[in-house]
Amino acid sequence: MTLKACKKEEKIDKEFQKKFKFEGSISVLTQMMVDPAVTEKRGGGKNLPLRRGEILDVIQFTNQEQILCRNSQRRYGYVPRAVMLPL
């Protein structure tokens, strides 16, 4: 990675930590897939947009209804547990 790309990723990660009040280092716990049968949803606020069959990195299991995830474009947000499938 170039220095410019590294700095950009650091900035994205700091914005994520501020927005979601996340403390500590960002580490991927596991990867999960969005259910292919679910309807695609636009993200908004703190929710991540959903695409059928997309593989997401799980950052934190927040509660019984939501998971904090990161998609392939390095965007962060909450995703309902009901639409997630283990790999």
Side-chain angles (χ1 to χ4, degrees):
M1 291 176 74
T2 65
L3 181 62
K4 190 174 182 178
C6 269
K7 295 241 182 216
K8 186 176 179 180
E9 284 189 12
E10 280 183 29
K11 182 180 177 187
I12 291 170
D13 290 347
K14 284 184 181 187
E15 287 173 2
F16 155 74
Q17 288 177 326
K18 184 178 178 182
K19 182 176 182 178
F20 290 93
K21 297 179 175 79
F22 189 86
E23 295 180 4
S25 64
I26 300 168
S27 60
V28 176
L29 301 175
T30 186
Q31 289 187 322
M32 297 180 86
M33 181 174 77
V34 177
D35 189 348
V38 75
T39 56
E40 295 188 6
K41 296 181 182 172
R42 293 175 60 183
K46 292 186 177 182
N47 295 326
L48 198 60
L50 297 179
R51 282 192 234 126
R52 296 179 184 151
E54 182 177 28
I55 306 293
L56 301 175
D57 296 331
V58 176
I59 306 299
Q60 183 180 38
F61 292 98
T62 53
N63 58 37
Q64 294 297 325
E65 286 115 35
Q66 293 183 333
I67 304 172
L68 185 56
C69 295
R70 174 177 68 195
N71 65 11
S72 59
Q73 290 91 32
R74 293 193 63 83
R75 293 182 63 200
Y76 295 89
Y78 293 112
V79 176
R81 277 189 185 220
V83 301
M84 299 298 286
L85 301 173
L87 289 177

